[in-house]
Amino acid sequence: MKANLIDSGMIYRGLLSIGWQNYWAFKLENWWNANFENVELRTTSAKDRVAILNKKLNLQLVAAEKIKFCSSDEFWTVCFGLNRPLDPANGFVISDSKKNPWLEEEYVSGLAELEKTNSDSWRINVIDRERYLYFKNQIAKVK
């Protein structure tokens, strides 16, 4: 599988590529669309994506499970706090004053924020803070 990704040119080979392995999302989407017509990558569940890949490429991949309190497994990013797959719709944008404009937003799950310790280094962006407080209040009502 990884060889297919390397051969397709999806892996970023530019500045700092030695330290961090990254992929071009638009190339991934192009590859997906060429190989799996009529299946939208971003809006297909992880279980369905894995089943499609297993069948087409004769693999034995296992889909990641949703993080607690998340409703979707249409993963498109990684939770900054837990380093697990996350649908951005279920995450909260984090603030980062050192962020470069060409980098995508980073997200944290509600679970990671609830379990956050003083040593954790992120803060929820002011844009998402009110939404997080609403989420936190809803979780408190359930307990």
Side-chain angles (χ1 to χ4, degrees):
M1 174 71 187
K2 194 169 183 179
N4 289 342
L5 300 178
I6 292 169
D7 292 343
S8 67
M10 270 186 259
I11 293 180
Y12 172 71
R13 299 276 187 213
L15 185 64
L16 302 177
S17 63
I18 293 171
W20 296 274
Q21 192 168 39
N22 290 295
Y23 298 85
W24 291 106
F26 76 94
K27 289 186 178 185
L28 171 64
E29 287 184 274
N30 290 343
W31 176 83
W32 182 271
N33 292 335
N35 287 280
F36 310 105
E37 293 180 26
N38 302 319
V39 180
E40 181 61 37
L41 179 59
R42 288 184 184 241
T43 58
T44 300
S45 73
K47 288 180 181 168
D48 289 344
R49 287 183 208 163
V50 166
I52 291 165
L53 288 169
N54 285 342
K55 183 177 179 183
K56 175 96 174 185
L57 303 175
N58 197 26
L59 300 170
Q60 293 182 339
L61 302 173
V62 177
E65 294 295 323
K66 294 183 284 191
I67 298 170
K68 186 177 181 181
F69 306 123
C70 290
S71 60
S72 170
D73 70 344
E74 295 172 0
F75 307 133
W76 199 251
T77 191
V78 175
C79 172
F80 186 84
L82 301 176
N83 200 32
R84 290 182 50 201
L86 178 69
D87 181 340
N90 291 151
F92 302 95
V93 176
I94 60 171
S95 298
D96 187 353
S97 60
K98 302 174 200 142
K99 189 166 194 64
N100 295 314
W102 59 85
L103 297 174
E104 291 187 21
E105 298 287 355
E106 293 181 294
Y107 294 82
V108 67
S109 65
L111 179 64
E113 182 66 20
L114 288 171
E115 294 180 345
K116 185 171 149 179
T117 65
N118 290 337
S119 64
D120 292 327
S121 61
W122 73 84
R123 287 185 43 197
I124 292 180
N125 190 306
V126 66
I127 294 169
D128 262 355
R129 239 175 253 152
E130 190 170 325
R131 191 168 67 89
Y132 170 72
L133 292 174
Y134 176 79
F135 161 80
K136 186 176 175 180
N137 287 334
Q138 295 301 317
I139 295 302
K141 288 180 185 176
V142 174
K143 288 184 177 179

